Amino acid sequence: MRLRCAVLDDFQQVATTVADWSPVADRVEVVSFAEHFAGEDALAEALAGFDIVVTLRERVAFPASVLARLPRLKLLIASGMRNSVIDYAAAKAGGVTVCGTASSSTPPVELTWALLLGLARGIVPESNSLRDGGPWQSTVGADLHGRRLGLLGLGKIGGRVARVGLAFGMEVSAWSRHLTRERADEVGVERAASLDELLMSSDFVSVHLALGDRSRGLLGARELALLKPTAYLVNTSRAAIVDQDALLEALHAGRIAGAGVDVFDLEPLPAGHPMRTAPRLLATPHLGYVSRANYATYYGEAVEDIRAYLAGEPVRRLG
């Protein structure tokens, strides 16, 4: 009897076509799920008959309570090499091997600039107006050249976003609690003296921090109030870094020019959620990592993980 492998959140139904699964086809039956399982009961019921699970990023949590309800599960594969929603201790105790895959930083860098440029030049409202027979030009675009881009975080992704900003002729500054002057000099940007200084001086602010206890809720009502009324905020990192209610209030009140958001407190976003209809908001359904090359890596290396596990030599182990 072949092992059964579940691929979660395969919304585009491409997991089995962007990578070659034939190396494990004789030993593994692959079933992809296009629907998202919102609660623990639905998830546990759907996965009860599977030996292997491939989960996409950090959308689906695997706490001890879920793992305890999956007695057949032996291999859990996460896309990327870091996952904060898997209980590694519980997995180990239950005999579940957890492995990861590589993940490129290029797609989120590109999406960050898609959102920033879309906001600055009013791409969506102007395109909709043109298609719907509306007015010919109704917005005045914001310039990038000579304006200040403030980055929260200057790691792998933040550093690449910074270099694109410099290529546009922007003044770029960055801040994080552990940002050194040497790192700022390496990238060629200014090191902001404080978070408040960066927020008050920037025309565009983009978030590129890892989520942790000190970054959770970093941008709340007080911090958002420091932004210029002409400033734009972009978040392709983690939703919890920006207080969602405070952001909605700022957008509705017109206290900032706009926001580009790719991450949300609840995903997929419910149909009636206020983030779907907020003014001055350019929102995308967590597309930061979604590109053909990245998917080929995720699922291609998932196949490698399965082959290695079946050979008794797991690779890219997590936890």
Side-chain angles (χ1 to χ4, degrees):
M1 181 180 295
R2 291 191 298 170
L3 300 177
R4 302 191 72 218
C5 172
V7 179
L8 301 183
D9 291 336
D10 185 16
F11 300 126
Q12 301 94 340
Q13 291 284 273
V14 297
T16 57
T17 59
V18 298
D20 180 12
W21 291 76
S22 63
V24 298
D26 60 332
R27 299 186 62 184
V28 178
E29 174 194 2
V30 180
V31 179
S32 72
F33 292 93
E35 71 274 20
H36 178 73
F37 301 111
E40 288 193 6
D41 289 344
L43 181 66
E45 182 178 352
L47 300 183
F50 288 90
D51 310 277
I52 304 167
V53 171
V54 179
T55 183
L56 192 61
R57 304 302 294 157
E58 297 175 317
R59 180 167 291 119
V60 178
F62 284 88
S65 55
V66 168
L67 293 169
R69 299 171 68 179
L70 303 176
R72 279 186 58 171
L73 182 63
K74 295 303 176 186
L75 176 63
L76 176 58
I77 300 171
S79 57
M81 290 300 293
R82 181 171 60 185
N83 193 302
S84 64
V85 297
I86 295 174
D87 188 327
Y88 295 111
K92 182 178 181 179
V96 178
T97 300
V98 184
C99 298
T101 74
S103 183
S104 172
S105 62
T106 298
V109 171
E110 294 173 349
L111 185 73
T112 295
W113 280 101
L115 290 173
L116 195 151
L117 288 165
L119 285 167
R121 300 305 296 269
I123 298 299
V124 173
E126 291 288 5
S127 176
N128 289 342
S129 180
L130 184 148
R131 294 170 65 88
D132 297 339
W136 183 263
Q137 300 182 0
S138 59
T139 64
V140 178
D143 295 284
L144 271 61
H145 189 275
R147 306 298 291 278
R148 179 170 289 271
L149 171 64
L151 300 174
L152 298 183
L154 197 63
K156 185 183 298 185
I157 294 175
R160 297 181 70 174
V161 170
R163 293 184 175 99
V164 176
L166 292 170
F168 273 116
M170 302 183 78
E171 299 175 359
V172 183
S173 64
W175 176 91
S176 71
R177 286 189 172 92
H178 303 294
L179 177 62
T180 63
R181 189 170 301 279
E182 290 74 19
R183 172 58 178 167
D185 290 343
E186 176 189 351
V187 180
V189 306
E190 296 179 23
R191 176 173 171 266
S194 66
L195 172 61
D196 287 4
E197 189 274 331
L198 180 136
L199 295 175
M200 290 187 289
S201 64
S202 298
D203 300 294
F204 299 87
V205 173
S206 190
V207 181
H208 302 287
L209 294 168
L211 180 62
D213 292 339
R214 301 185 72 181
S215 63
R216 188 179 301 274
L218 182 69
L219 298 187
R222 187 194 76 82
E223 290 75 22
L224 293 177
L226 298 177
L227 291 169
K228 302 175 184 179
T230 55
Y232 296 90
L233 174 68
V234 175
N235 186 10
T236 58
S237 181
R238 291 292 183 269
I241 296 172
V242 181
D243 185 292
Q244 189 167 259
D245 292 336
L247 177 58
L248 283 169
E249 184 178 351
L251 291 170
H252 280 282
R255 289 198 291 272
I256 59 175
V261 175
D262 186 50
V263 288
F264 306 91
D265 288 343
L266 183 61
E267 296 184 7
L269 207 59
H273 197 282
M275 290 292 278
R276 286 185 178 267
T277 55
R280 305 176 183 84
L281 178 67
L282 176 56
T284 48
H286 205 153
L287 299 178
Y289 58 85
V290 180
S291 75
R292 183 162 294 276
N294 226 16
Y295 270 24
T297 297
Y298 289 167
Y299 297 116
E301 293 196 0
V303 174
E304 293 177 3
D305 289 346
I306 294 171
R307 291 186 70 186
Y309 173 81
L310 294 177
E313 299 178 351
V315 294
R316 293 184 286 267
R317 298 188 68 159
L318 301 180

